[in-house]
Amino acid sequence: MGWAIALHGGAGDIPHSLPPDRRLPREVGLRHCLDVGIAALKAHKHPLDVVELVVRELENYPHFNAGKGSVLTSSGTVEMEASIMDGKSKKCGAVSGLSTVVNAVSLARLVMEKTPHIYLGFHGAEAFAREQGVETADPSYFITPENIERLKQAQDANRVQIDYTQPVQKEAKDAAATIPNGDSQIGTVGCVAVDSEGNLASATSTGGLVNKMAGRIGDSPIIGAGTYANHLCAVSATGKGEAMIRGTVARDVAAVMEFKGLSLKEAAAYVIDQVPPGNAGLVAVSSTGEIATVFNTTGMFRACASEDGYSEVAIWDSPLK
């Protein structure tokens, strides 16, 4: 048994032709966030603190679809959401519909620790954020030129885009209209961690889907769908939220481990196999330090490490050099 950590920056139809200027910043971000998490675990920080810290870093990195990099709704606004969960106590917190909170994951933790509730959304969540004095910014802080362009592309194609959606034709005459490099912004970010004593935690954050309806809530803030942790494992999911909610993906990994007696890797593979292809991915760690990174999409931005010296940053099936 030893500490272990895994994080993701979204799963989806990530083309192998993704150009360096789109790929390398995300790789750098993943390596940086992994290093932050490793340092925290080596300093004997509790996994709950570690996953919050790492997800905050991911939220602050504009190349990922969370926090500063959040994609836009069909109304051209940002609606961010996040959740966090402690495995030992099963305490958890979640937020949705945020438009000014810089780090949604930290507000989710405050919901867990400072209220009798689990989930706050929209105006109530924003009011709670102001009450708690968390960092906020004008909504324009989150709206980047890249995401304005992604929204326009999605609306032109009359679709809601998930992580790295490849270009499609709106109709035959639009055959030449494509989304450059298939880059529709990677989705959900998340982190799971376990310490050398077997304590587990998970956190997930996202801006949602490009061109989603205002008010839409995905799996990221739903405990048991996008985020889950108990005494056996911690899971953070990514992909199309509706599929994750239908499949109760994060909780099912723990359930399959408990009731079928499968290992973490076996359980994660089994659960993802139940989700329609092209829709899902997850990262997970077990109480014994096992790591699983599984997806049924083209790729998933991910990074992981363990106390025994293992470390990996990857997008597709093979680790990056």
Side-chain angles (χ1 to χ4, degrees), residues 6-10 30 58 188-191 204 236-238 283 300-303:
L7 56 114
H8 68 78
L30 288 173
L58 289 163
T188 314
V189 303
C191 181
T204 312
S236 176
T238 174
V283 296
M300 179 173 70
F301 273 89
R302 62 200 187 275

Side-chain angles (χ1 to χ4, degrees), residues 36 147-148 183 208 226 248 256:
V36 167
N147 283 330
I148 292 173
D183 183 5
T248 59
V256 169

Side-chain angles (χ1 to χ4, degrees), residues 279-294:
N279 281 279
L282 65 82
V283 296
V285 293
S286 73
S287 60
T288 58
E290 187 180 10
I291 298 172
T293 60
V294 185

Side-chain angles (χ1 to χ4, degrees), residues 150-151 153-155 157 159-163 165 179 183-185 208-212:
R150 289 185 179 97
L151 175 61
Q153 292 161 347
Q155 290 177 334
R159 63 178 179 177
V160 174
Q161 292 179 180
I162 63 171
D163 319 343
T165 305
I179 295 174
D183 183 5
S184 66
Q185 182 74 319
L209 302 177
V210 182
N211 200 30
K212 65 181 180 180

